[in-house]
Amino acid sequence: MRLAVLGATGLTGGLVVTQALDDGHDVTVLVRDPTRVSVSHPRLTILGGHPTAPSDLERWVRGADAVIHCLGIGGKGDGQPTSLVSDSVRGTLAAMTLHHVPRIVCMSNVGVGGSGTWFATQLIIPLFLRWLLPIIEDKERMEAALRASTVEWCSVRLPNIVEGPERPVRMSVNGRGIGLSITAASAARFLLAQATSPAVDCATPSVSN
């Protein structure tokens, strides 16, 4: 398949790229600084551009069979309101519609859409992880844009992402019953699978190790 990946310089997005190449897919990435992409491969195309610029997004998705959107603000952010991810997804959806790209898989967070346990969403995040609230609010807007679109989509809600090898994953339709973390390699594998051979009958699965 021909995959367009955004967020390729991040931990999870970078692993999506390497796993996709290892699986034999053609990959095009859009990055603000092409020198930050450490992977070199004959089936990898690296484009420089901004993740919200319409012309850059159109160049990036043109000819793709599916999009994997792993863009994030990095780390914990600054605790201030942000619209980077939702703005980028809206622009991506417009470019996909223009170029007839049928499917997008996005990286989201447990907590979006009320997912997760009551203890986590009502106590832990508001009291101890307040820096997550602007990120979750932006992902809420992202998922609203996905629902309003005409493309096939999947928004994978993830807990804390940690380094480590691929491990078996647990999935939940409402975020309950999953663990507190997932390795980036496991998250990347799940995202890639939903783009290339989707087998999960849920638009907003929550997954963990």
Side-chain angles (χ1 to χ4, degrees), residues 1 6 17 25-26 30 45 54 57 75 83 90 109 128-129 157-159 164 168 170 173 181 189 200 202:
M1 290 183 66
L6 197 62
V17 171
H25 301 293
D26 295 315
L30 177 68
T45 300
L57 293 170
S83 63
R90 288 192 192 96
N109 292 71
F128 301 105
L129 301 176
R157 295 169 175 173
L158 302 168
R170 288 183 278 171
V173 297
S181 66
R189 180 62 63 190
V200 174
C202 175

Side-chain angles (χ1 to χ4, degrees), residues 175-193:
R176 293 165 179 79
I178 65 169
L180 298 177
S181 66
I182 186 169
T183 66
S186 302
R189 180 62 63 190
F190 191 88
L191 292 163
L192 181 59

